[in-house]
């Protein structure tokens, strides 16, 4: 099946595949030397969508605005802005 001109297989009616966007972000973060690129890409996507990482599969597409916001977060993470700063969430160990 051929794609219409100007439309990639990862695009559907102006929406982007979340899976493809996360894979591309993982590659970019790897090249930038981020220690946990896949987890970081997934955490950024989950933060953007307001879901946990385990629920990302339920959101297969990003609209143009979400995709642009995701790209912005990835660019900032590539500049080594801490993930916790970008998401506003930090995991803590046991508090006693």
């Amino acid at each position: 099946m051929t794609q219409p001109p100007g439309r990639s297989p990862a695009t559907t009616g102006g929406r982007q595949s979340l899976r493809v966007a996360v894979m591309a972000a993982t590659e970019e973060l790897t090249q930038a030397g981020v220690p946990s690129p896949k987890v970081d890409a997934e955490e950024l996507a989950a933060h953007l969508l307001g879901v946990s990482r385990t629920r990302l599969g339920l959101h297969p597409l990003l609209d143009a605005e979400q995709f642009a916001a995701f790209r912005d977060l990835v660019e900032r993470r590539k500049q080594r802005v801490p993930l916790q700063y970008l998401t506003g969430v930090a995991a803590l160990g046991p508090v006693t």
Side-chain angles (χ1 to χ4, degrees), residues 12 14-15 31 33 40 46-47 56-57 60 62 71 73 93 96:
T12 305
R15 300 183 82 186
Q31 291 176 4
D40 286 15
H47 167 71
L56 286 176
L62 296 173
R71 295 297 318 140
L73 288 170
T96 55

Side-chain angles (χ1 to χ4, degrees), residues 3-89:
Q3 294 292 323
R7 181 180 284 182
S8 72
T11 306
T12 305
R15 300 183 82 186
Q16 300 286 327
S17 164
L18 175 60
R19 186 174 68 80
V20 172
V22 168
M23 287 173 27
T26 299
E27 180 61 32
E28 289 180 43
L29 294 174
T30 298
Q31 291 176 4
V34 173
S36 53
K38 184 174 186 207
V39 170
D40 286 15
E42 290 174 349
E43 286 289 348
L44 291 173
H47 167 71
L48 178 70
L49 295 170
V51 299
S52 68
R53 279 179 54 215
T54 60
R55 311 279 296 171
L56 286 176
L58 300 176
H59 298 271
L61 299 174
L62 296 173
D63 63 33
E65 185 177 306
Q66 290 170 323
F67 183 73
F70 180 66
R71 295 297 318 140
D72 180 56
L73 288 170
V74 171
E75 286 301 317
R76 292 178 65 200
R77 184 65 185 116
K78 282 171 48 179
Q79 297 168 3
R80 298 306 186 93
V81 174
L83 181 65
Q84 296 83 353
Y85 181 78
L86 295 172
T87 63
V89 176

Side-chain angles (χ1 to χ4, degrees), residues 92-96:
L92 297 175
V95 177
T96 55

